Amino acid sequence: MTRLIFVNRFFAPDHSATSQILSDLAFHLASAGRHVHVVTSSQLYDDAKAALPVSEIISGVHVHRVPSTGFGRNALLGRSIDYISFYRSMWQCLVTLAQQGDIIVAKTDPPLTSIIAMAAARRNGARLVNWLQDIYPETAVELGVPFMRGPLAASLTALRNRSLRQADATVVVGNLMARKVESLGAPAARVHVIPNWCNDDVIQPVAQSENPLRQSWGLVGQFVLGYSGNLGRAHEFQTVLAAAERLRNEPHFIFLMIGGGKRFEELARAVKRRGLARSFRFIPYQEQKLLSHSLAVADAHWLSLNPKLEGLIVPSKFYGIAAVAKPIIVIGDKDGEIAQLVQQHGCGIVITPGNADALVDALRLLSNAPETISEMGRRARAMLDGHFTRQQALQRWSRLLDRLDKVSARELQLA
């Protein structure tokens, strides 16, 4: 079988979202007998100063960790320097490692990795597969990142579009993203939708009466609206904050925030300023072994996405919520990727950003209708089991790589 080289800034034992998804796939493919390599950094997502081994084999996967600066994610300048240093080391590793006929699979951390991977693939006669978790520089432009407009953005976009056109396959995580990359020049026949996943074999529903976190976090007898994961620049929280203000005199409503991120801290400060501390609980990220319990502690979950980013990003926390069979409240574009799924499967409620009154109405409705919560949760898990399981995604990847193997074999016969 063709040798695979994945490129992403983080890999196991790191527990960030892109690392977990990549690690899952790499270990699955290695266990199936494929020769799998990963080019990554020596850092951890939450520890830029970490120094993981330069080279090791984990569960059959050959891991190559390249050096980069360690300024971390807090400041744009430092993060940019980290990216540039990783690009340089990544290039040096790829041109040494990649051989003719190999498949280089480029993820999107750091952004625009596909440009470097494309150049290395062309130089060494390898093939390129783009694995897009988001689309840059468009995401950066919509978020107002400095220097991402004008000639620089135009140049980066042109190079990125070339990598889309030249790739043997481009894997995207949603249907709207597929349409977007096709509009940017990716041949439709080479665009493949393979949604992200969670470990749904392990993440399972947990009854409130059997969840010790409900007691230890002081949530017994409350209606809990949960949020779990990163709250970043792509996510809107003003609607939830405004709803909490309207419900401040109804103390049985609790807004539970589990995770971190730039806007997580911003929300915590806003809650304190507005005197809403009684209505909120802020909890750090929980260990993987507690994920079923931490997700299931809420009665319902919310997630959000800036409508401008539809087709550029798909919130992956959606899958974990569905796995524990909880209603999903989407604060975003009603025609967005996740909103369409929630409406199609009847497993939650879609709220237009800024419509706090609608969110309040939804929470009051759910708090008085346990049977509705149960039915929406059941539908969420059924949706996951039918369309978005980990095993289904891994099988889609295996089928795609098998097809690329056959194309490579035919090319060798014709050579």
Side-chain angles (χ1 to χ4, degrees):
M1 283 186 240
T2 306
R3 198 170 66 149
L4 302 172
I5 304 172
F6 289 92
V7 185
N8 190 60
R9 199 155 54 110
F10 300 107
F11 186 71
D14 180 79
H15 292 300
S16 63
T18 61
S19 173
Q20 288 184 49
I21 292 289
L22 171 56
S23 301
D24 262 3
L25 178 58
F27 296 148
H28 167 76
L29 295 171
S31 71
R34 285 188 171 272
H35 301 290
V36 181
H37 294 253
V38 173
V39 177
T40 186
S41 76
S42 61
Q43 303 173 348
L44 297 171
Y45 182 79
D46 55 2
D47 183 4
K49 301 299 183 183
L52 297 172
V54 172
S55 178
E56 64 178 325
I57 298 176
I58 307 176
S59 299
V61 175
H62 298 258
V63 183
H64 310 264
R65 294 194 177 92
V66 300
S68 62
T69 55
F71 290 100
R73 297 177 291 111
N74 292 332
L76 177 61
L77 178 60
R79 187 164 69 249
S80 300
I81 294 172
D82 286 353
Y83 288 171
I84 293 168
S85 67
F86 182 74
Y87 292 142
R88 181 175 182 273
S89 297
M90 179 215 313
W91 164 260
Q92 292 172 336
C93 184
L94 283 176
V95 297
T96 302
L97 177 64
Q99 301 172 4
Q100 184 166 355
D102 288 351
I103 295 177
I104 300 175
V105 183
K107 291 199 78 177
T108 47
D109 187 1
L112 305 172
T113 292
S114 65
I115 296 173
I116 308 297
M118 172 184 64
R122 291 182 64 185
R123 183 183 186 277
N124 288 27
R127 310 180 73 189
L128 174 65
V129 173
N130 295 313
W131 186 2
L132 305 185
Q133 299 294 312
D134 40 44
I135 299 179
Y136 270 78
E138 286 84 352
T139 297
V141 170
E142 294 296 349
L143 292 175
V145 175
F147 314 116
M148 281 294 105
R149 294 185 183 274
L152 176 59
S155 298
L156 292 174
T157 299
L159 287 170
R160 190 278 320 282
N161 288 350
R162 184 185 301 175
S163 75
L164 293 175
R165 292 192 301 271
Q166 294 187 0
D168 293 271
T170 293
V171 175
V172 296
V173 294
N175 292 317
L176 296 183
M177 191 180 288
R179 294 179 205 165
K180 179 65 177 179
V181 298
E182 288 170 16
S183 75
L184 296 171
R190 297 185 206 160
V191 176
H192 306 269
V193 179
I194 304 180
N196 283 340
W197 60 88
C198 68
N199 193 349
D200 52 276
D201 292 331
V202 173
I203 303 174
Q204 293 285 333
V206 178
Q208 302 283 15
S209 59
E210 298 173 6
N211 194 336
L213 296 182
R214 192 86 179 181
Q215 177 76 40
S216 61
W217 289 352
L219 301 172
V220 176
Q222 313 283 6
F223 179 86
V224 180
L225 180 65
Y227 185 95
S228 182
N230 179 65
L231 188 66
R233 298 181 66 179
H235 309 123
E236 189 263 8
F237 66 72
Q238 294 296 337
T239 306
V240 169
L241 188 64
E245 285 200 295
R246 288 161 171 75
L247 293 168
R248 70 163 65 237
N249 295 322
E250 299 176 53
H252 64 287
F253 286 105
I254 297 295
F255 297 84
L256 175 66
M257 302 293 300
I258 306 171
K262 182 179 180 65
R263 304 212 74 193
F264 195 90
E265 299 168 1
E266 186 181 335
L267 173 60
R269 291 193 296 270
V271 165
K272 185 176 181 180
R273 282 197 308 270
R274 300 188 187 202
L276 293 170
R278 187 177 66 176
S279 301
F280 280 81
R281 305 280 192 280
F282 289 91
I283 307 286
Y285 283 108
Q286 299 297 292
E287 296 180 44
Q288 284 291 105
K289 64 183 180 181
L290 293 176
L291 199 51
S292 289
H293 290 83
S294 65
L295 285 169
V297 77
D299 296 285
H301 280 260
W302 68 278
L303 58 81
S304 70
L305 183 66
N306 184 330
K308 293 180 180 179
L309 300 178
E310 285 292 348
L312 304 177
I313 296 174
V314 178
S316 59
K317 56 180 65 70
F318 164 76
Y319 305 104
I321 301 169
V324 295
K326 295 295 179 180
I328 303 162
I329 296 179
V330 179
I331 301 174
D333 187 340
K334 66 179 177 59
D335 295 319
E337 188 84 31
I338 301 300
Q340 288 185 44
L341 288 170
V342 164
Q343 293 170 105
Q344 177 185 346
H345 293 276
C347 59
I349 299 169
V350 178
I351 304 292
T352 302
N355 193 345
D357 289 336
L359 179 55
V360 167
D361 291 343
L363 295 179
R364 285 174 175 155
L365 171 68
L366 291 175
S367 70
N368 290 309
E371 67 286 347
T372 300
I373 291 177
S374 178
E375 178 59 19
M376 283 184 173
R378 185 195 65 77
R379 291 175 182 171
R381 181 70 203 205
M383 171 190 64
L384 184 83
D385 289 338
H387 305 281
F388 301 110
T389 67
R390 175 178 176 271
Q391 197 57 41
Q392 288 165 349
L394 296 177
Q395 288 172 355
R396 290 180 185 120
W397 265 105
S398 293
R399 288 194 296 269
L400 171 60
L401 295 171
D402 286 345
R403 287 199 296 272
L404 293 175
D405 278 342
K406 291 176 182 176
V407 172
S408 294
R410 287 198 298 271
E411 289 177 347
L412 286 173
Q413 291 172 353
L414 294 171

